[in-house]
Amino acid sequence: MAILVTGCAGFVGAHVTKALIDRGERVVGLDNLDPYYDVRLKQARLERLCAHDRFRFERLDLTDREALAGLLDREADIAGIVHLAAQAGVRHSLVDPYAYVQANVLGQVTLLEAARRLRRLDHLVYASSSSVYGLNEHLPFRESERVDRPGSLYAATKRSAELISHAYGHLFGLPQTGLRFFTVYGPWGRPDMAYYTFAKAILDGTEITLYEGEGLARDFTYVDDVVDGVLRVLDHPPAGGDAPGRTFNLGNDRPEPVALLVSLLEQALGRVARVRRIPRPATDIEATWASVDAVETLTGWRPSTRLQDGIPRFVDWFRSYATAG
């Protein structure tokens, strides 16, 4: 049997793929190497994966229906899918909204239609986002809350994907679980994320931009904890009367001030940040905080990495990657 990972050259996708390989799974990885950010980083992640004989890579756009159907015909023994391919970036959705609808909505439909062709599908786990909580102000965010007030098009597309999965679960019995990731960070991360851009600016001696307000905080979640959560959930497919639209939060259950993130980066890099403050844009909420009680009840998962430990690990990788580049 095999596991299909979409977005395998992405940040979380590459880490999940490596963890699956390490535990003995055969993995088919799919990615279109979209140039939203430097493709060389995606290729470097991919090179590490291609060194393993239990991994096979397919360069393929998820919305290419014929190509995806052909892949699943050739890999008919796929029993699990981890769907991480997406157009990421909240603020970029203001610039290119069509890319988000194409990748996050049409991509979800295309994958689910293709998944119906598989002889045996034990579980499909897909990435959603904490952004679906939108303009909610009650903390911590719980899966039982209504999520019908998105604060960005990105959030709207991720919530749409959840609803589409609910429909396919109800109509066709596809066993699925959506995971709402909260501000994932760590080695091999995305260059558009705040912690990455802050680290580069501090190292280069250029300004970083912080939003005004004392309450700005994020539930920063270390990538190894997220990977552990993904694999645990994958191993616990819905059964019996489980709701077809099952979703769980994967967060650190510990919102930290963005100011602390900057301080930890300064300590790890040995340099002082140059800070410019601007008003917080409408796409960004003041704070995020994940309740993880539901996923802990199902799988026993809880995050274990503090920001004080995770940031130095990221900086160690960042220094070596920046030097190598």
Side-chain angles (χ1 to χ4, degrees):
M1 308 306 289
I3 307 292
L4 173 68
V5 178
T6 74
C8 67
F11 172 33
V12 177
H15 281 277
V16 167
T17 300
K18 179 66 164 56
L20 288 167
I21 293 169
D22 287 346
R23 78 174 194 178
E25 307 281 3
R26 187 173 76 84
V27 180
V28 178
L30 178 158
D31 205 292
N32 69 348
L33 300 181
D34 183 87
Y36 167 62
Y37 61 82
D38 193 346
V39 173
R40 290 175 297 178
L41 177 55
K42 298 182 180 184
Q43 292 169 332
R45 296 179 188 132
L46 199 55
E47 286 174 9
R48 299 171 70 236
L49 300 174
C50 288
H52 299 272
D53 58 9
R54 288 192 300 276
F55 174 74
R56 188 168 77 80
F57 174 63
E58 289 272 347
R59 184 167 184 174
L60 188 153
D61 190 312
L62 189 63
T63 60
D64 186 334
R65 289 176 286 176
E66 293 184 0
L68 183 59
L71 171 63
L72 295 192
D73 284 344
R74 296 191 300 274
E75 298 286 350
D77 64 338
I78 288 173
I81 298 175
V82 181
H83 173 38
L84 302 171
Q87 177 59 58
V90 172
R91 283 179 289 281
H92 189 65
S93 65
L94 293 171
V95 178
D96 188 4
Y98 303 105
Y100 288 78
V101 175
Q102 175 82 3
N104 300 351
V105 180
L106 181 58
Q108 191 86 355
V109 174
T110 306
L111 179 67
L112 291 170
E113 277 295 309
R116 293 175 56 198
R117 302 165 62 98
L118 294 171
R119 290 197 301 264
R120 167 190 167 185
L121 178 63
D122 295 333
H123 199 184
L124 189 159
V125 175
Y126 65 91
S128 187
S129 167
S130 62
S131 296
V132 301
Y133 290 104
L135 304 181
N136 289 10
E137 296 179 351
H138 181 268
L139 296 174
F141 294 149
R142 300 183 186 278
E143 297 90 342
S144 57
E145 294 180 19
R146 291 182 62 176
V147 282
D148 55 3
R149 295 195 303 154
S152 67
L153 179 69
Y154 169 74
T157 62
K158 297 304 277 186
R159 179 56 180 154
S160 297
E162 291 183 351
L163 294 172
I164 290 165
S165 279
H166 183 284
Y168 272 75
H170 169 69
L171 294 171
F172 307 113
L174 288 176
Q176 300 172 71
T177 303
L179 298 177
R180 295 170 176 171
F181 295 161
F182 280 69
T183 315
V184 187
Y185 74 98
W188 295 97
R190 281 191 3 237
D192 64 319
M193 294 292 286
Y195 71 94
Y196 197 117
T197 61
F198 289 174
K200 186 175 187 307
I202 293 170
L203 203 59
D204 292 345
T206 58
E207 283 186 342
I208 68 171
T209 300
L210 293 182
Y211 300 140
E212 296 169 349
E214 297 299 321
L216 194 66
R218 291 292 180 267
D219 202 341
F220 298 105
T221 314
Y222 191 63
V223 64
D224 288 358
D225 288 336
V226 169
V227 170
D228 181 38
V230 170
L231 267 58
R232 286 180 185 239
V233 170
L234 181 65
D235 294 339
H236 287 80
D242 283 358
R246 188 172 76 166
T247 56
F248 294 113
N249 293 333
L250 281 189
N252 207 41
D253 193 17
R254 184 187 177 97
E256 301 278 14
V258 173
L260 174 62
L261 168 69
V262 175
S263 176
L264 293 171
L265 286 168
E266 289 176 322
Q267 293 173 35
L269 291 164
R271 299 193 181 185
V272 176
R274 296 172 54 199
V275 178
R276 178 173 68 102
R277 295 189 178 274
I278 63 172
R280 177 165 52 89
T283 54
D284 284 51
I285 60 175
E286 187 172 42
T288 62
W289 180 3
S291 167
V292 296
D293 294 343
V295 71
E296 182 182 19
T297 298
L298 177 71
T299 69
W301 179 85
R302 282 202 71 84
S304 61
T305 308
R306 303 183 311 155
L307 192 64
Q308 290 86 341
D309 299 320
I311 287 299
R313 297 177 197 170
F314 161 71
V315 168
D316 285 346
W317 169 82
F318 178 76
R319 284 185 179 279
S320 63
Y321 182 78
T323 302

